[in-house]
């Protein structure tokens, strides 16, 4: 760490010198412009302004890479924050191109701009300045909450079309989650905060942490919806009523945990955590009733539903704990 002494010039202007090593590294010369961004915590971020920022490029050799391995490579390249991703091989087969196209669909920003037998060039067209992490996390919550509601409705009405719609919406949550992860990694490498005027680096970290549980809540909503195809008939009314009641409590726990996170409300966050503990006896009672059903398939299917409802509440508790940590950090 280098230190500088603040000096005064002209009677009202404070000045400091910039470290030469850093200035050379980022291309600052006499006459260069920099942006000054005050942070909510009192820090001041100095960011060089370049007329044409350098294009970040990464190359991936996908020779012999298929299926999930290729998918993981594509996600890793995306999270690395490259502007251009070049996928190369002696010959890129049709199966590989299908995976590449599928990943471009599932990610926010990347588009294929060039394609040959040996190369696929992907460019990230997203302007990060237009994306607010607060809005992205809120959007993740809204989608996952609607997924959970519709999943419960799907198993109640045996609506396979609604269940399929829930399954497809999970992709939207995953896209937002990966975008948030990409932005956070970029910030750790020194990139400018997209919404620095209203979000500190600590808040960015906490929102990134909260995005994880929300993504898993969506996964469990998808899991509930998939049970629709395994049910041999309507769920008994008394059991369905108990499922709906525990589901509503679980969703309310998540909703309040999100409110606590965004409003730095420690009291509400603690109430959320207490409510999760009170939900356990209801979950145990519901599991006991399900075990008395005649068919093994129904026991397993509905047991999965109850487990996902329980886990959703647990993830709400995780978000509430993040909210408490975030509120304490804000007061420092």
């Amino acid at each position: 760490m280098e230190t500088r002494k603040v000096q005064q010039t002209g009677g009202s202007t404070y000045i400091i010198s910039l470290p030469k090593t850093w200035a050379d590294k980022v291309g600052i010369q006499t006459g260069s412009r920099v942006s000054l961004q005050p942070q909510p915590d009192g820090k001041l971020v100095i960011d060089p302004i370049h007329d044409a920022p350098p294009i970040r490029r990464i190359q991936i050799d996908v020779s012999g890479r298929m299926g999930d391995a290729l998918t993981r490579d594509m996600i890793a390249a995306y999270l690395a924050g490259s502007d251009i991703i070049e996928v190369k091989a002696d010959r890129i087969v049709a199966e590989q191109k299908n995976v590449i196209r599928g990943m471009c669909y599932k990610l926010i920003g990347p588009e294929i701009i060039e394609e040959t037998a040996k190369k696929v060039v992907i460019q990230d067209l997203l302007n990060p300045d237009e994306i607010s992490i607060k809005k992205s996390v809120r959007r993740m919550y809204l989608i996952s909450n609607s997924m959970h509601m519709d999943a419960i409705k799907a198993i109640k009405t045996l609506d396979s079309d609604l269940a399929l719609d829930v399954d497809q919406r999970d992709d939207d949550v995953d896209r937002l989650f990966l975008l948030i992860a990409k932005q956070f990694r970029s910030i750790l490498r020194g990139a400018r905060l997209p919404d620095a005027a209203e979000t500190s680096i600590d808040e960015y970290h906490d929102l990134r942490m909260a995005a994880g549980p929300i993504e898993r809540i969506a996964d469990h909503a998808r899991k509930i919806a998939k049970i629709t195809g395994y049910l041999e008939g309507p769920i008994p009314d008394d059991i369905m009523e108990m499922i709906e009641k525990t589901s509503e409590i679980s969703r309310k726990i998540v909703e309040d945990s999100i409110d606590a996170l965004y409003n730095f409300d420690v009291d509400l966050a603690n109430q959320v955590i207490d409510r999760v503990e009170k939900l356990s006896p209801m979950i145990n009672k519901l599991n006991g009733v399900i075990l008395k059903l005649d068919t093994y398939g129904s026991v397993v299917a509905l047991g999965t539903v109850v487990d996902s409802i329980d886990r959703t509440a647990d993830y709400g508790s995780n978000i509430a704990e993040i909210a408490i940590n975030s509120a304490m950090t804000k007061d420092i």
Side-chain angles (χ1 to χ4, degrees):
M1 177 183 293
E2 294 191 38
T3 61
R4 292 291 186 273
K5 186 175 181 179
V6 178
Q7 301 180 37
Q8 188 173 16
T9 181
S12 61
T13 301
Y14 294 107
I15 63 171
I16 61 169
S17 60
L18 297 177
K20 188 174 187 305
T21 303
W22 173 78
D24 291 341
K25 181 179 179 181
V26 298
I28 290 180
Q29 301 174 347
T30 302
S32 296
R33 295 185 304 146
V34 297
S35 65
L36 305 178
Q37 302 168 41
Q39 303 296 299
D41 59 3
K43 294 184 176 67
L44 183 66
V45 175
I46 302 176
D47 193 18
I49 298 176
H50 298 290
D51 294 333
I55 295 176
R56 294 162 297 180
R57 185 183 300 263
I58 189 171
Q59 292 186 350
I60 309 174
D61 187 344
V62 298
S63 300
R65 308 289 279 182
M66 297 288 183
D68 291 342
L70 178 54
T71 297
R72 288 190 289 268
D73 285 348
M74 294 295 297
I75 292 176
Y78 174 76
L79 293 177
S82 303
D83 299 307
I84 300 288
I85 301 173
E86 289 188 10
V87 182
K88 291 187 173 183
D90 291 336
R91 181 171 181 267
I92 303 177
V93 299
E95 180 183 346
Q96 290 176 311
K97 288 190 176 182
N98 285 336
V99 172
I100 294 168
R101 292 190 192 101
M103 288 311 302
C104 287
Y105 167 74
K106 291 183 178 181
L107 299 172
I108 298 177
E111 296 287 344
I112 295 175
I113 61 172
E114 182 183 344
E115 184 174 346
T116 66
K118 296 184 178 182
K119 180 173 68 173
V120 176
V121 180
I122 302 165
Q123 183 173 357
D124 190 348
L125 302 178
L126 179 70
N127 180 358
D129 291 340
E130 298 176 353
I131 304 296
S132 161
I133 188 172
K134 287 186 173 181
K135 292 180 179 178
S136 295
V137 172
R138 174 73 73 177
R139 179 63 179 158
M140 282 184 69
Y141 158 68
L142 292 173
I143 297 173
S144 64
N145 183 59
S146 68
M147 287 173 64
H148 186 107
M149 291 174 62
D150 287 344
I152 296 297
K153 184 177 180 180
I155 64 171
K156 181 179 182 179
T157 60
L158 301 181
D159 190 335
S160 59
D161 186 67
L162 182 58
L164 178 61
D165 181 58
V166 171
D167 181 72
Q168 292 173 342
R169 269 181 275 167
D170 186 52
D171 286 341
D172 294 332
V173 176
D174 290 343
R175 293 169 77 213
L176 286 166
F177 175 70
L178 289 171
L179 173 63
I180 291 167
K182 174 188 174 183
Q183 285 184 311
F184 186 66
R185 286 167 66 104
S186 179
I187 287 167
L188 290 179
R189 293 194 298 268
R192 185 171 63 87
L193 286 169
D195 44 4
E198 61 179 34
T199 310
S200 69
I201 186 65
D202 288 324
E203 288 178 78
Y204 223 99
H205 170 268
D206 295 333
L207 289 164
R208 165 63 183 89
M209 290 284 290
I214 297 173
E215 190 269 339
R216 289 187 284 275
I217 288 170
D219 287 342
H220 278 285
R222 181 188 185 199
K223 197 172 183 180
I224 293 171
K226 283 182 173 291
I227 294 301
T228 306
Y230 296 97
L231 294 174
E232 299 173 357
I235 299 171
D237 290 342
D238 59 332
I239 294 180
M240 192 65 230
E241 184 178 345
M242 295 175 70
I243 288 175
E244 288 179 309
K245 186 174 182 179
T246 53
S247 167
E248 184 178 352
I249 293 172
S250 183
R251 285 193 302 103
K252 182 61 175 173
I253 284 171
V254 177
E255 177 184 346
D256 287 347
S257 70
I258 293 293
D259 286 343
L261 177 65
Y262 275 74
N263 297 314
F264 306 100
D265 192 333
V266 174
D267 291 337
L268 180 57
N270 280 312
Q271 291 172 23
V272 166
I273 295 171
D274 291 340
R275 266 185 277 155
V276 174
E277 295 178 1
K278 293 177 181 178
L279 180 63
S280 294
M282 297 178 65
I283 294 293
N284 293 336
K285 182 179 179 180
L286 180 52
N287 278 323
V289 174
I290 290 172
L291 287 172
K292 295 178 182 179
L293 293 174
D294 295 332
T295 60
Y296 175 75
S298 296
V299 171
V300 173
L302 295 182
T304 299
V305 171
V306 176
D307 178 68
S308 289
I309 292 173
D310 188 26
R311 287 178 179 269
T312 295
D314 285 338
Y315 288 131
S317 177
N318 292 343
I319 297 170
E321 290 175 357
I322 295 169
I324 294 172
N325 297 338
S326 184
M328 292 299 177
T329 303
K330 186 177 179 62
D331 291 337
I332 296 177

